[in-house]
Amino acid sequence: MFAAIFKSRKERGLREAGWGWTLFAGSIGLIYFFPVLWIIMTAFKTRADALATPPVFLFTPTFENFVSVFLRLSQTGQEAVSTGMGLYFFNSVFVAASGVLLALVIGTLAAYGFSRYPLKGNDTYLFVILTTRMLPPIIVIIPIFLMFRLTGLSGSYIGVILLYAAFNLPFSIWMMKSFFDELSIDVEDAARLDGSSDRGVFFRICLPQLKAGLAATAVFALILTWNEFLFALLLTGTETRTVPVAMARTIGGELGVDWGLLAAIITLFLIPVFAVTYLLQNHLLRGVTFGTIKK
Amino acid sequence: MNKPIIPLDGESAGLSPTRHEDKQLENSTPIRGKSMRDFWHWMFSPERRGAMLVAPALIMLFLMNIFPLMWSFGLSFFHYKASSMRPPRFAGFYYYEKVLSDPVVWERLQTTALIVSLSVLLQMVIGFSMALLFEKKFPFRRELLMLVLTPMMLSFVAVGVFFKLFYEPTFGILSQGYAYFFGEPLTLLATKWGAIWAIVVADAWMWSPFVMLLVLAGLVSVPDYLYEAAAVDRASWWRRFKTVTFPYVKGLLLLALLFRTIETFKIFDVVYLITAGGPGTSTETIAVYVYKIAFQFFKTSQSSALSYILLFVVIVLTNLYLYFVNRRNEEV
């Protein structure tokens, strides 16, 4: 299993590098991680600190950027009005969750089919499915854009959710198939001999063994959707806009970019990503290669 | 007169249609219910199980991917602009000829090739070095690994915004560092090569961990006894690397190379956010170019024709990738 990556040589019987190596790898890791760290620091800076030359590393943290992500002063300067960012965060969560749920249900069934009841030309189907995922999204988006405009789905939740379900489907199928392929068929055969129906085998034998796999696939797909930009840019309206699009619009106005505010949006946007990366550590390899590489 | 001993009419076998219908009338089950049930049985019969399980997925993919692709394939043979109401007129291969003979398209492909090769090369080098770094055992290894792996989970938009901020000439941290050492401000995004490197660095920073992850998977799969044997033989570091380590890594390295090539070929978001193709058109990759002709100039047919040429490239690369994946799976 992939978890072996996280078990280093020593745990498997070889060289110990010790604290010296921690220092070395740690400094390189910190340099590598610095861009993220800097953004998080910027999010806690006041406007003056954020734009200071030379850059300040020590400062008194402020939460005003986080407040102004959601609230800003109205034109009259008195009452606080919503910036709409709350809605965009809700949209991101809602659209990603619905799209992924749909893709996961359909994808798991299909993966089980591809794994246990191979069709004629099984590999061709799987190849076509993977190809639809590997395509530059810009190719797919042109006709979908026209199609959505004709059917009036453009800018609606249903349109975006359907699109994200389709976007996640190839990923779910390949991931879940790689998990199903790893299960021992003997258990299923034994259950069949004991009189279990096909449905029983799927629901009571296979799925319970794949709880972790299902969770990994779901969470991975959630992050991919959460991060998605191009589809959202072209197919969401003012009401259904997601956070990445809102961020890109904030940066779009060249002159008056409020970096502290932008950094705060990103920091909030990244919290689920950090959580997920931590949760998924043993499935990262499989996830980033769409289930094509398992170990 | 001569009644057959064995009833041939099936009546006594309980298969009589009349009796069947009688029964149904008694139960007052409508005929429709029966056909529904037949359909149900037909649908869920064991020999159709595989097809039925994958059908919803295939239908969905057909509706949201394959059909739109076919549509745009059709459009690429017609004169059509999404911004005008004029009905499409047949154009034959006009747009394919136009796209393939257009020097601008070739220029964009060259830009893309340049960015892809620089970025993938950088990813391979950084990824490989970091994998070697993390192969050893040391305290907090797992935590540090998580730290380094984070960039590839970030969104392109976030990475684009990060680097846009770092490259900002007056107060961007990178420019300030540069000004500190060289005395003059760094205006990276104003020159062609500066902008290309700006994109390459952002993309390579984001995806080197991917290469690292794959290489690390190869490194930890080297059996310990091989290292022990190499130690007994007093093999030099280089020799041990060449004969023991590398053979276990090269398959995954090739997969990483192909995968990253396919993915970097599509590079859009980072370019769109950091340089928007500028200065001029010097960092306009093919994906950004398609986006511009499709959604800014609304040359729908032309962009569709170009899309199909890209589609072909990606299909070839994906095929190659899967070929090596399968070959590796057979070896393992």
Side-chain angles (χ1 to χ4, degrees):
Chain A
M1 270 306 289
F2 173 67
I5 286 184
F6 285 94
K7 290 209 185 83
S8 54
R9 288 252 152 249
K10 179 63 196 189
E11 289 163 61
R12 298 155 66 245
L14 256 164
R15 300 157 284 169
E16 165 100 40
W19 281 97
W21 203 261
T22 304
L23 207 66
F24 181 46
S27 42
I28 287 181
L30 270 184
I31 292 172
Y32 206 80
F33 193 71
F34 179 75
V36 184
L37 215 58
W38 185 248
I39 291 290
I40 297 174
M41 277 162 77
T42 309
F44 287 99
K45 285 176 179 175
T46 60
R47 203 184 171 91
D49 279 340
L51 300 184
T53 26
V56 277
F57 286 89
L58 294 170
F59 54 92
T60 27
T62 160
F63 284 93
E64 65 182 45
N65 285 320
F66 290 95
V67 176
S68 51
V69 168
F70 297 102
L71 295 170
R72 70 181 146 82
L73 290 179
S74 65
Q75 296 286 329
T76 51
Q78 287 309 308
E79 53 202 303
V81 266
S82 161
T83 52
M85 208 34 112
L87 175 71
Y88 304 149
F89 269 97
F90 166 78
N91 286 343
S92 269
V93 173
F94 176 64
V95 165
S98 330
V100 168
L101 189 71
L102 198 58
L104 206 64
V105 172
I106 300 178
T108 307
L109 286 177
Y112 187 67
F114 281 126
S115 175
R116 294 294 189 274
Y117 304 93
L119 302 167
K120 216 182 278 172
N122 210 33
D123 287 350
T124 315
Y125 284 117
L126 283 166
F127 171 68
V128 171
I129 289 172
L130 186 68
T131 310
T132 60
R133 187 61 175 71
M134 294 298 224
L135 290 179
I138 188 76
I139 297 182
V140 195
I141 198 72
I142 297 170
I144 287 185
F145 182 76
L146 300 175
M147 200 167 88
F148 273 26
R149 226 177 42 170
L150 275 180
T151 50
L153 282 173
S154 189
S156 70
Y157 279 122
I158 299 175
V160 189
I161 289 170
L162 276 178
L163 186 67
Y164 277 143
F167 168 82
N168 281 311
L169 197 54
F171 174 78
S172 313
I173 293 175
W174 271 80
M175 279 289 271
M176 287 315 294
K177 181 178 178 293
S178 80
F179 283 118
F180 278 124
D181 285 348
E182 275 174 6
L183 289 186
S184 141
I185 305 201
D186 298 343
V187 185
E188 287 164 48
D189 287 343
R192 283 218 172 78
L193 280 180
D194 289 345
S196 184
S197 67
D198 286 353
R199 197 185 308 168
V201 168
F202 178 70
F203 281 109
R204 269 183 273 131
I205 310 291
C206 289
L207 281 190
Q209 291 183 74
L210 287 187
K211 269 184 207 148
L214 259 171
T217 309
V219 172
F220 229 103
L222 275 174
I223 282 300
L224 287 177
T225 318
W226 177 252
N227 285 341
E228 206 285 326
F229 172 63
L230 184 61
F231 290 157
L233 175 70
L234 289 166
L235 293 178
T236 54
T238 4
E239 290 300 303
T240 50
R241 188 174 293 154
T242 57
V243 182
V245 182
M247 277 198 297
R249 285 176 69 93
T250 319
I251 202 178
E254 279 297 329
L255 274 176
V257 184
D258 185 344
W259 289 109
L261 176 72
L262 202 56
I265 300 176
I266 292 185
T267 308
L268 290 175
F269 184 72
L270 291 187
I271 292 170
V273 181
F274 292 142
V276 161
T277 313
Y278 190 75
L279 287 174
L280 279 180
Q281 34 185 293
N282 291 342
H283 296 289
L284 275 180
L285 180 73
R286 196 196 297 254
V288 289
T289 58
F290 303 147
T292 52
I293 301 175
K294 292 167 216 163
K295 44 191 165 179
Chain B
M1 205 183 107
N2 268 342
K3 239 185 161 188
I5 301 162
I6 303 162
L8 293 171
D9 56 351
E11 169 124 29
S12 46
L15 294 170
S16 147
T18 46
R19 254 188 57 189
H20 212 86
E21 270 162 30
D22 284 352
K23 215 177 191 175
Q24 272 191 356
L25 281 175
E26 279 165 24
N27 295 348
S28 72
T29 319
I31 303 290
R32 214 175 63 89
K34 180 175 170 275
S35 64
M36 275 294 281
R37 219 179 319 132
D38 277 357
F39 178 66
W40 200 251
H41 279 300
W42 176 84
M43 222 169 76
F44 288 100
S45 82
E47 65 262 35
R48 224 159 273 103
R49 189 122 314 150
M52 276 305 144
L53 282 169
V54 302
L58 292 183
I59 290 171
M60 177 134 209
L61 278 179
F62 182 81
L63 284 180
M64 302 299 289
N65 270 319
I66 314 284
F67 173 71
L69 281 172
M70 285 177 357
W71 189 357
S72 80
F73 188 59
L75 277 183
S76 67
F77 294 101
F78 285 85
H79 297 287
Y80 179 70
K81 269 173 95 89
S83 55
S84 87
M85 297 305 280
R86 227 184 294 156
R89 273 183 308 119
F90 188 68
F93 283 98
Y94 172 76
Y95 286 105
Y96 285 91
E97 275 167 39
K98 191 174 173 185
V99 162
L100 284 174
S101 62
D102 189 353
V104 177
V105 173
W106 291 107
E107 218 174 274
R108 301 296 179 272
L109 280 173
Q110 276 172 18
T111 312
T112 314
L114 183 69
I115 291 180
V116 169
S117 38
L118 285 176
S119 176
V120 173
L121 185 75
L122 208 58
Q123 288 167 35
M124 295 308 239
V125 174
I126 299 177
F128 206 112
S129 329
M130 287 206 305
L132 289 176
L133 188 70
F134 278 96
E135 183 210 8
K136 294 193 170 61
K137 148 95 180 170
F138 51 86
F140 293 111
R141 176 175 177 279
R142 181 182 278 254
E143 287 72 14
L144 284 172
L145 202 50
M146 295 315 304
L147 207 63
V148 174
L149 286 176
T150 314
M152 72 173 172
M153 301 295 286
L154 305 180
S155 98
F156 284 109
V157 178
V159 173
V161 173
F162 281 9
F163 281 87
K164 177 112 181 157
L165 173 58
F166 301 144
Y167 297 147
E168 166 41 80
T170 45
F171 54 83
I173 182 126
L174 209 72
S175 322
Q176 288 193 11
Y178 184 87
Y180 181 78
F181 287 109
F182 299 98
E184 54 185 272
L186 177 71
T187 45
L188 200 59
L189 299 182
T191 59
K192 180 190 171 183
W193 280 100
I196 285 180
W197 276 108
I199 290 168
V200 167
V201 167
D203 191 59
W205 176 76
M206 189 170 175
W207 290 109
S208 295
F210 175 91
V211 179
M212 179 183 99
L213 197 58
L214 262 75
V215 173
L216 205 52
L219 287 178
V220 297
S221 71
V222 185
D224 288 340
Y225 66 85
L226 285 181
Y227 279 126
E228 282 152 18
V232 170
D233 289 348
R234 296 198 180 173
S236 68
W237 180 87
W238 171 244
R239 198 175 156 72
R240 195 185 64 199
F241 179 77
K242 211 175 72 175
T243 53
V244 178
T245 317
F246 195 68
Y248 277 86
V249 181
K250 72 172 182 227
L252 282 163
L253 207 58
L254 185 67
L255 290 182
L257 180 79
L258 274 171
F259 199 93
R260 285 314 313 153
T261 306
I262 299 174
E263 292 279 303
T264 315
F265 182 70
K266 314 192 275 200
I267 188 166
F268 173 82
D269 314 27
V270 173
V271 179
Y272 180 84
L273 283 162
I274 296 182
T275 68
T281 55
S282 53
T283 55
E284 207 168 286
T285 60
I286 196 78
V288 178
Y289 181 66
V290 176
Y291 173 81
K292 278 192 177 165
I293 58 174
F295 294 104
Q296 285 180 2
F297 308 123
F298 283 101
K299 293 177 181 168
T300 313
S301 320
Q302 200 177 326
S303 60
S304 304
L306 186 52
S307 296
Y308 271 84
I309 296 165
L310 298 189
L311 182 80
F312 179 73
V313 176
V314 171
I315 287 180
V316 170
L317 287 173
T318 310
N319 234 326
L320 208 61
Y321 173 76
L322 281 183
Y323 169 76
F324 285 114
V325 164
N326 287 333
R327 212 175 67 167
R328 182 173 174 275
N329 285 348
E330 276 158 25
E331 276 171 18
V332 172

Short mmCIF file of all heavy atoms in Angstrom, two decimals, chain A residues 237-266:
data_model
loop_
_atom_site.label_atom_id
_atom_site.label_comp_id
_atom_site.label_asym_id
_atom_site.label_seq_id
_atom_site.Cartn_x
_atom_site.Cartn_y
_atom_site.Cartn_z
N GLY A 237 -23.38 32.68 -12.69
CA GLY A 237 -23.86 34.05 -12.76
C GLY A 237 -23.54 34.78 -11.47
O GLY A 237 -22.82 34.27 -10.62
N THR A 238 -24.09 35.96 -11.31
CA THR A 238 -23.82 36.75 -10.10
C THR A 238 -24.27 36.01 -8.85
O THR A 238 -23.62 36.09 -7.81
CB THR A 238 -24.56 38.09 -10.13
OG1 THR A 238 -25.37 38.13 -11.29
CG2 THR A 238 -23.60 39.24 -10.11
N GLU A 239 -25.38 35.26 -8.97
CA GLU A 239 -25.93 34.60 -7.79
C GLU A 239 -25.22 33.30 -7.47
O GLU A 239 -25.24 32.83 -6.34
CB GLU A 239 -27.43 34.31 -8.00
CG GLU A 239 -28.31 35.55 -8.02
CD GLU A 239 -28.21 36.30 -6.70
OE1 GLU A 239 -28.49 35.67 -5.66
OE2 GLU A 239 -27.86 37.49 -6.71
N THR A 240 -24.64 32.67 -8.49
CA THR A 240 -24.06 31.34 -8.29
C THR A 240 -22.54 31.35 -8.32
O THR A 240 -21.91 30.31 -8.33
CB THR A 240 -24.56 30.35 -9.36
OG1 THR A 240 -24.37 30.95 -10.64
CG2 THR A 240 -26.00 30.03 -9.17
N ARG A 241 -21.95 32.54 -8.33
CA ARG A 241 -20.49 32.66 -8.42
C ARG A 241 -19.79 31.92 -7.28
O ARG A 241 -20.24 31.93 -6.15
CB ARG A 241 -20.13 34.14 -8.38
CG ARG A 241 -18.69 34.44 -8.65
CD ARG A 241 -18.49 35.94 -8.73
NE ARG A 241 -19.16 36.49 -9.90
CZ ARG A 241 -19.60 37.74 -9.99
NH1 ARG A 241 -19.46 38.56 -8.98
NH2 ARG A 241 -20.17 38.16 -11.08
N THR A 242 -18.65 31.28 -7.61
CA THR A 242 -17.89 30.58 -6.57
C THR A 242 -16.69 31.43 -6.15
O THR A 242 -16.37 32.42 -6.80
CB THR A 242 -17.39 29.21 -7.07
OG1 THR A 242 -16.61 29.42 -8.24
CG2 THR A 242 -18.55 28.29 -7.38
N VAL A 243 -16.01 31.01 -5.09
CA VAL A 243 -14.93 31.82 -4.52
C VAL A 243 -13.77 32.06 -5.50
O VAL A 243 -13.31 33.20 -5.61
CB VAL A 243 -14.42 31.20 -3.20
CG1 VAL A 243 -13.33 32.07 -2.61
CG2 VAL A 243 -15.56 31.05 -2.23
N PRO A 244 -13.28 31.01 -6.23
CA PRO A 244 -12.17 31.30 -7.14
C PRO A 244 -12.50 32.40 -8.13
O PRO A 244 -11.66 33.27 -8.42
CB PRO A 244 -11.96 29.97 -7.87
CG PRO A 244 -12.41 28.95 -6.91
CD PRO A 244 -13.57 29.57 -6.18
N VAL A 245 -13.72 32.40 -8.64
CA VAL A 245 -14.11 33.45 -9.60
C VAL A 245 -14.12 34.80 -8.91
O VAL A 245 -13.61 35.79 -9.44
CB VAL A 245 -15.49 33.13 -10.20
CG1 VAL A 245 -15.86 34.18 -11.23
CG2 VAL A 245 -15.49 31.75 -10.83
N ALA A 246 -14.65 34.84 -7.71
CA ALA A 246 -14.70 36.09 -6.96
C ALA A 246 -13.28 36.60 -6.69
O ALA A 246 -13.01 37.80 -6.79
CB ALA A 246 -15.45 35.89 -5.65
N MET A 247 -12.36 35.67 -6.39
CA MET A 247 -10.97 36.07 -6.14
C MET A 247 -10.35 36.65 -7.40
O MET A 247 -9.70 37.68 -7.35
CB MET A 247 -10.15 34.86 -5.70
CG MET A 247 -10.26 34.56 -4.23
SD MET A 247 -8.94 33.51 -3.65
CE MET A 247 -9.15 32.01 -4.52
N ALA A 248 -10.56 35.95 -8.53
CA ALA A 248 -9.99 36.43 -9.79
C ALA A 248 -10.55 37.80 -10.13
O ALA A 248 -9.84 38.64 -10.68
CB ALA A 248 -10.27 35.45 -10.91
N ARG A 249 -11.81 38.05 -9.78
CA ARG A 249 -12.40 39.37 -10.07
C ARG A 249 -11.79 40.44 -9.18
O ARG A 249 -11.61 41.58 -9.61
CB ARG A 249 -13.91 39.31 -9.88
CG ARG A 249 -14.61 38.59 -11.01
CD ARG A 249 -16.08 38.49 -10.71
NE ARG A 249 -16.73 39.78 -10.76
CZ ARG A 249 -17.31 40.26 -11.84
NH1 ARG A 249 -17.32 39.56 -12.94
NH2 ARG A 249 -17.89 41.44 -11.83
N THR A 250 -11.47 40.05 -7.94
CA THR A 250 -10.85 41.02 -7.04
C THR A 250 -9.50 41.46 -7.58
O THR A 250 -9.12 42.63 -7.48
CB THR A 250 -10.65 40.40 -5.64
OG1 THR A 250 -11.81 39.66 -5.32
CG2 THR A 250 -10.40 41.47 -4.60
N ILE A 251 -8.76 40.50 -8.14
CA ILE A 251 -7.43 40.83 -8.65
C ILE A 251 -7.53 41.51 -10.00
O ILE A 251 -6.62 42.22 -10.42
CB ILE A 251 -6.56 39.55 -8.75
CG1 ILE A 251 -5.08 39.92 -8.74
CG2 ILE A 251 -6.89 38.73 -9.96
CD1 ILE A 251 -4.19 38.71 -8.78
N GLY A 252 -8.66 41.33 -10.68
CA GLY A 252 -8.83 41.87 -12.03
C GLY A 252 -8.66 43.39 -12.10
O GLY A 252 -8.00 43.90 -12.99
N GLY A 253 -9.23 44.12 -11.15
CA GLY A 253 -9.09 45.58 -11.17
C GLY A 253 -7.67 45.96 -10.82
O GLY A 253 -7.32 46.04 -9.65
N GLU A 254 -6.84 46.18 -11.83
CA GLU A 254 -5.39 46.29 -11.68
C GLU A 254 -4.95 47.23 -10.55
O GLU A 254 -4.08 46.89 -9.76
CB GLU A 254 -4.77 46.78 -12.99
CG GLU A 254 -4.58 45.67 -14.02
CD GLU A 254 -3.62 44.59 -13.54
OE1 GLU A 254 -2.70 44.92 -12.78
OE2 GLU A 254 -3.80 43.42 -13.93
N LEU A 255 -5.54 48.42 -10.47
CA LEU A 255 -4.98 49.44 -9.58
C LEU A 255 -5.27 49.19 -8.11
O LEU A 255 -4.37 49.07 -7.30
CB LEU A 255 -5.48 50.82 -9.98
CG LEU A 255 -4.65 51.48 -11.09
CD1 LEU A 255 -5.27 52.79 -11.51
CD2 LEU A 255 -3.22 51.70 -10.58
N GLY A 256 -6.54 49.10 -7.79
CA GLY A 256 -6.90 49.11 -6.38
C GLY A 256 -6.97 47.75 -5.73
O GLY A 256 -7.90 47.48 -4.99
N VAL A 257 -6.00 46.84 -6.00
CA VAL A 257 -6.07 45.53 -5.36
C VAL A 257 -5.75 45.68 -3.88
O VAL A 257 -4.69 46.19 -3.51
CB VAL A 257 -5.08 44.55 -6.00
CG1 VAL A 257 -5.24 43.18 -5.40
CG2 VAL A 257 -5.28 44.49 -7.49
N ASP A 258 -6.66 45.24 -3.04
CA ASP A 258 -6.41 45.24 -1.60
C ASP A 258 -5.81 43.89 -1.23
O ASP A 258 -6.51 42.91 -1.05
CB ASP A 258 -7.74 45.47 -0.86
CG ASP A 258 -7.52 45.62 0.63
OD1 ASP A 258 -6.44 45.24 1.10
OD2 ASP A 258 -8.45 46.09 1.31
N TRP A 259 -4.47 43.86 -1.16
CA TRP A 259 -3.79 42.57 -0.99
C TRP A 259 -4.13 41.90 0.33
O TRP A 259 -4.24 40.68 0.40
CB TRP A 259 -2.28 42.74 -1.14
CG TRP A 259 -1.89 43.01 -2.56
CD1 TRP A 259 -1.44 44.19 -3.06
CD2 TRP A 259 -1.94 42.10 -3.66
NE1 TRP A 259 -1.21 44.07 -4.40
CE2 TRP A 259 -1.50 42.81 -4.80
CE3 TRP A 259 -2.32 40.77 -3.79
CZ2 TRP A 259 -1.43 42.22 -6.05
CZ3 TRP A 259 -2.24 40.19 -5.04
CH2 TRP A 259 -1.81 40.91 -6.15
N GLY A 260 -4.26 42.72 1.38
CA GLY A 260 -4.60 42.14 2.68
C GLY A 260 -5.93 41.41 2.62
O GLY A 260 -6.06 40.28 3.08
N LEU A 261 -6.90 42.05 1.97
CA LEU A 261 -8.22 41.45 1.83
C LEU A 261 -8.14 40.15 1.02
O LEU A 261 -8.68 39.11 1.39
CB LEU A 261 -9.14 42.45 1.14
CG LEU A 261 -10.55 41.95 0.82
CD1 LEU A 261 -11.35 41.85 2.10
CD2 LEU A 261 -11.24 42.87 -0.16
N LEU A 262 -7.41 40.25 -0.11
CA LEU A 262 -7.26 39.09 -0.97
C LEU A 262 -6.59 37.94 -0.23
O LEU A 262 -7.00 36.77 -0.32
CB LEU A 262 -6.44 39.49 -2.20
CG LEU A 262 -6.59 38.62 -3.44
CD1 LEU A 262 -8.05 38.53 -3.84
CD2 LEU A 262 -5.77 39.18 -4.58
N ALA A 263 -5.56 38.27 0.53
CA ALA A 263 -4.85 37.24 1.31
C ALA A 263 -5.80 36.61 2.33
O ALA A 263 -5.74 35.40 2.57
CB ALA A 263 -3.65 37.85 2.00
N ALA A 264 -6.67 37.44 2.91
CA ALA A 264 -7.63 36.89 3.88
C ALA A 264 -8.60 35.93 3.21
O ALA A 264 -8.91 34.86 3.74
CB ALA A 264 -8.38 38.02 4.57
N ILE A 265 -9.07 36.31 2.01
CA ILE A 265 -9.98 35.41 1.28
C ILE A 265 -9.27 34.08 1.02
O ILE A 265 -9.81 33.01 1.26
CB ILE A 265 -10.42 36.03 -0.06
CG1 ILE A 265 -11.15 37.35 0.17
CG2 ILE A 265 -11.31 35.06 -0.83
CD1 ILE A 265 -11.52 38.07 -1.12
N ILE A 266 -8.02 34.19 0.53
CA ILE A 266 -7.28 32.96 0.21
C ILE A 266 -7.09 32.11 1.46
O ILE A 266 -7.26 30.89 1.43
CB ILE A 266 -5.92 33.30 -0.42
CG1 ILE A 266 -6.15 33.91 -1.79
CG2 ILE A 266 -5.06 32.06 -0.54
CD1 ILE A 266 -4.90 34.18 -2.56
#
